[in-house]
Amino acid sequence: MSVQERKERERAERERLIVATARELAEQQGWDAVTTRQLAERIEYSQPVLYSHFHGKREIIGAVALEGATEMAAAVRAATSAAEGPRARAAALARAYLDFAASNPAVYDAMFQLDGGLAFAVDDTPPPLKDAFAALLETLTEVAGEGVHPGLFTEVFWASLHGLATLARAGRLHPEFAERRVELLVDRLAVL
Amino acid sequence: MSVQERKERERAERERLIVATARELAEQQGWDAVTTRQLAERIEYSQPVLYSHFHGKREIIGAVALEGATEMAAAVRAATSAAEGPRARAAALARAYLDFAASNPAVYDAMFQLDGGLAFAVDDTPPPLKDAFAALLETLTEVAGEGVHPGLFTEVFWASLHGLATLARAGRLHPEFAERRVELLVDRLAVL
DNA sequence: TATCTTGTCTAGCGGTGCTAGGATCGAGTC
DNA sequence: GACTCGATCCTAGCACCGCTAGACAAGATA
């Protein structure tokens, strides 16, 4: 029994190592540099070991994405709970979201730009992703406005943030407008 | 003289063929299917011919992106000029933008998701891209609101549309809310 | 100690973007 | 009309990718 338990523990530990290494490598050199060979070398195992943990590279990206979703949900909740008043909470949410995207570009890519093989079909959406959306919903519901479906409003608000995050990082928007964009977005979308 | 002119004409024609074929193949089977081998076979030339026209695959993607930007600008202008009143024009712009993204996913990817090697550093941005932004600016300026920088407002509006377009296509948003999302976005962002 | 299962690695498959170097074709010249 | 020569194109191959079959060794079981 104990032997098997030890092995399972070691396996789980190695799996965490794979995900952490993939994430680290992606943040350092971009996802293009995250090849199975490079990744295998960094964890000091051969390539096939990766495939005994994940069905393919896509699943590794998906694992990084789920980790990121959990962290993003936490970051958003921490920021909103520290703010007072609906308007301030919505603004804090927006800034926390954009900060996370800017600070963890590779993770954000794994979540929304790359194919991590994650399902989004309402039912079998992984819990961390549902929870990240829920974190947005909690704060945004109070500024959705009368008679506006909170989920609908959250989708619009989220999409706007997503657009700002991706276009800003791609160098498509004027960097000096960053703060004013957030102000404008919150002012217009949020109903107090 | 005439011989050289004919050759240049044929070269230009072949270049158009390459871009058109890449675009067609991408729309049919996705950009993953657009390999240099597949592309070469479709135009009935060998691979190296591609490299006598473009420095690499990235440049071919960039060419498709520029073509798409021109078309999108035209589509937006056509839609807005057919609408009456600022609110109707802004709504028409939003729908035209989202329609274009939904109808030409591969082209939209070339423009905003893939690396087409296009510059965006204010000065050396290719004219078609500048013009596409200008097309948005023309209509959105009139609903930016008092004292709001039109360029800033356009960036925010555009980012929101971009977010809606990408998240919707990735299956991240509820399809049945599509029209209501546009209504909500225009209602909140546009100042009449 | 002998057996056997489990886990890991070596080697290799078919694919990718890209390119060096040889063959071929056609334009210009005698 | 034959010939030279330069432009043009293709064959073949490089290094890399994601992924996997099968040999092999280490460790648990008896």
Side-chain angles (χ1 to χ4, degrees):
Chain A
M1 282 304 145
S2 175
V3 170
Q4 190 176 344
E5 283 177 6
R6 194 204 70 220
K7 287 196 174 182
E8 281 175 11
R9 234 185 309 125
E10 288 172 353
R11 246 191 93 77
E13 177 53 36
R14 194 171 61 181
E15 191 158 314
R16 276 194 294 274
L17 176 64
I18 292 172
V19 177
T21 305
R23 175 175 179 169
E24 188 182 317
L25 187 52
E27 292 292 3
Q28 285 172 356
Q29 304 178 231
W31 278 105
D32 280 352
V34 184
T35 67
T36 54
R37 283 172 179 79
Q38 180 73 251
L39 188 51
E41 190 178 345
R42 289 231 179 176
I43 64 168
E44 296 180 314
Y45 281 94
S46 67
Q47 279 178 284
V49 166
L50 300 174
Y51 293 88
S52 73
H53 287 274
F54 302 95
H55 283 132
K57 187 181 172 178
R58 148 189 304 206
E59 265 197 11
I60 297 176
I61 295 173
V64 172
L66 291 186
E67 199 177 283
T70 303
E71 291 179 19
M72 172 180 273
V76 165
R77 289 202 173 96
T80 53
S81 68
E84 289 193 14
R87 165 70 168 76
R89 275 192 286 276
L93 176 145
R95 292 197 181 87
Y97 186 99
L98 295 174
D99 277 352
F100 183 88
S103 306
N104 308 275
V107 174
Y108 195 82
D109 280 347
M111 292 170 70
F112 300 123
Q113 304 270 38
L114 303 176
D115 179 12
L118 301 176
F120 276 87
V122 181
D123 280 349
D124 51 354
T125 301
L129 292 174
K130 279 188 177 173
D131 188 57
F133 187 82
L136 301 181
L137 193 66
E138 291 159 14
T139 294
L140 294 176
T141 295
E142 58 181 354
V143 292
E146 286 285 323
V148 174
H149 189 292
L152 172 69
F153 177 77
T154 301
E155 283 190 348
V156 171
F157 201 102
W158 172 37
S160 301
L161 292 176
H162 176 65
L164 286 177
T166 53
L167 292 179
R169 192 153 70 77
R172 250 89 164 181
L173 306 176
H174 288 87
E176 67 272 22
F177 285 169
E179 178 53 30
R180 289 167 67 188
R181 283 193 296 265
V182 178
E183 287 290 336
L184 179 60
L185 185 73
V186 174
D187 276 341
R188 294 283 167 92
L189 287 188
V191 171
L192 300 179
Chain B
M1 283 303 145
S2 175
V3 169
Q4 189 175 345
E5 283 176 7
R6 195 204 68 220
K7 287 196 176 184
E8 281 175 11
R9 233 185 310 126
E10 288 173 352
R11 248 192 91 78
E13 177 54 37
R14 195 172 59 180
E15 189 157 315
R16 275 193 295 275
L17 177 63
I18 292 173
V19 176
T21 305
R23 175 176 178 168
E24 189 182 315
L25 187 52
E27 291 292 3
Q28 285 173 357
Q29 305 177 229
W31 278 105
D32 280 352
V34 185
T35 67
T36 54
R37 281 173 180 79
Q38 181 72 249
L39 188 51
E41 190 179 345
R42 289 232 180 176
I43 65 168
E44 296 180 314
Y45 281 95
S46 67
Q47 279 178 283
V49 166
L50 300 173
Y51 293 88
S52 72
H53 286 273
F54 301 95
H55 284 133
K57 187 182 173 179
R58 147 189 305 204
E59 265 196 10
I60 298 177
I61 295 173
V64 172
L66 291 186
E67 200 177 282
T70 304
E71 291 179 20
M72 173 181 272
V76 165
R77 289 202 173 96
T80 53
S81 67
E84 289 193 14
R87 165 68 168 77
R89 274 192 286 276
L93 177 145
R95 291 197 181 88
Y97 186 99
L98 295 174
D99 277 351
F100 183 89
S103 305
N104 308 274
V107 174
Y108 195 82
D109 280 347
M111 293 170 70
F112 300 122
Q113 304 271 39
L114 303 176
D115 178 13
L118 301 176
F120 277 87
V122 182
D123 279 349
D124 52 353
T125 301
L129 293 175
K130 278 189 178 174
D131 187 57
F133 187 82
L136 300 181
L137 193 66
E138 291 159 14
T139 293
L140 293 177
T141 296
E142 58 182 354
V143 291
E146 285 287 321
V148 174
H149 190 292
L152 171 70
F153 178 76
T154 301
E155 283 190 347
V156 172
F157 201 102
W158 172 37
S160 300
L161 291 176
H162 177 65
L164 285 178
T166 53
L167 291 179
R169 193 153 71 76
R172 250 89 164 182
L173 305 177
H174 288 86
E176 68 271 23
F177 285 170
E179 179 54 30
R180 289 168 66 188
R181 282 193 296 264
V182 178
E183 286 290 334
L184 180 60
L185 185 72
V186 175
D187 277 341
R188 294 282 168 90
L189 287 188
V191 172
L192 300 180

